[in-house]
Every structure is written in structure tokens, then in C-alpha cells.
Amino acid sequence: MDILNEAEENEGTDDRSEAKNRKSRVEEILYKTLDTLLQVLSGFSCKINPDVERFIKKQSIEFAKKQQSVTYLVFSTKDAELIG
């Protein structure tokens, strides 16, 4: 009986360990994606409306995290430049 219990405990440990590894990989991808997004947004400018520029750079991500708003970005098909 001890062998069965030990095997079940180890199986549970493996599942938890695998879940932690998956969570770690997902977090790593999210951080890389967030860094990339911040780099893209930092290059955005809107001379016509500085409030839009300020929102995009400083608040859009936080608003999205809080599910207060969604911001859509428009990229050029020629060079993938952020255009709006």
C-alpha cells in the first residue's frame, strides 16, 4: 500500500510541477510580449492630439488589464510601422 500512495503522491507532484512550468513559460511569454508592446508604443506620436499619444503610451495597457477599454493599433502593411 505504501508504494501505491507514494506513486500517487509523486504523480500529483509531477502534475503540480508541470503546471508550474507551464505557468512560468506563459508568464515569460507575456513579459516578452509586454516589453515588445511597450517598445512599439514608445515610438508612437500624435502631434494633432497629444492626449491620444499620452493615453496610448501611459494608460492604454493599464486600462486593458482592468478591462476598462480596448485599444486597437493600426500598422502599415508595407513596413509594419504603427500608424494609428
Side-chain angles (χ1 to χ4, degrees):
M1 287 298 211
D2 289 334
I3 294 173
L4 290 176
N5 289 337
E6 188 175 314
E8 287 176 359
E9 287 175 9
N10 287 340
E11 184 176 303
T13 302
D14 289 343
D15 289 344
R16 285 190 297 268
S17 177
E18 187 175 326
K20 282 183 181 179
N21 286 339
R22 273 195 305 260
K23 182 179 177 184
S24 178
R25 287 191 302 260
V26 168
E27 287 174 345
E28 182 180 328
I29 291 167
L30 287 174
Y31 286 125
K32 285 181 181 178
T33 303
L34 182 58
D35 285 344
T36 301
L37 178 59
L38 289 170
Q39 287 176 358
V40 168
L41 295 180
S42 71
F44 178 75
S45 67
C46 183
K47 294 175 184 165
I48 296 171
N49 193 340
D51 289 336
V52 169
E53 181 177 340
R54 189 172 24 262
F55 175 79
I56 294 294
K57 289 181 175 181
K58 307 244 184 225
Q59 296 174 311
S60 61
I61 294 173
E62 290 303 315
F63 274 49
K65 285 179 182 177
K66 296 176 188 176
Q67 297 180 348
Q68 289 179 315
S69 72
V70 176
T71 303
Y72 294 94
L73 304 175
V74 179
F75 293 89
S76 167
T77 56
K78 292 181 182 177
D79 58 9
E81 180 183 357
L82 178 61
I83 57 175

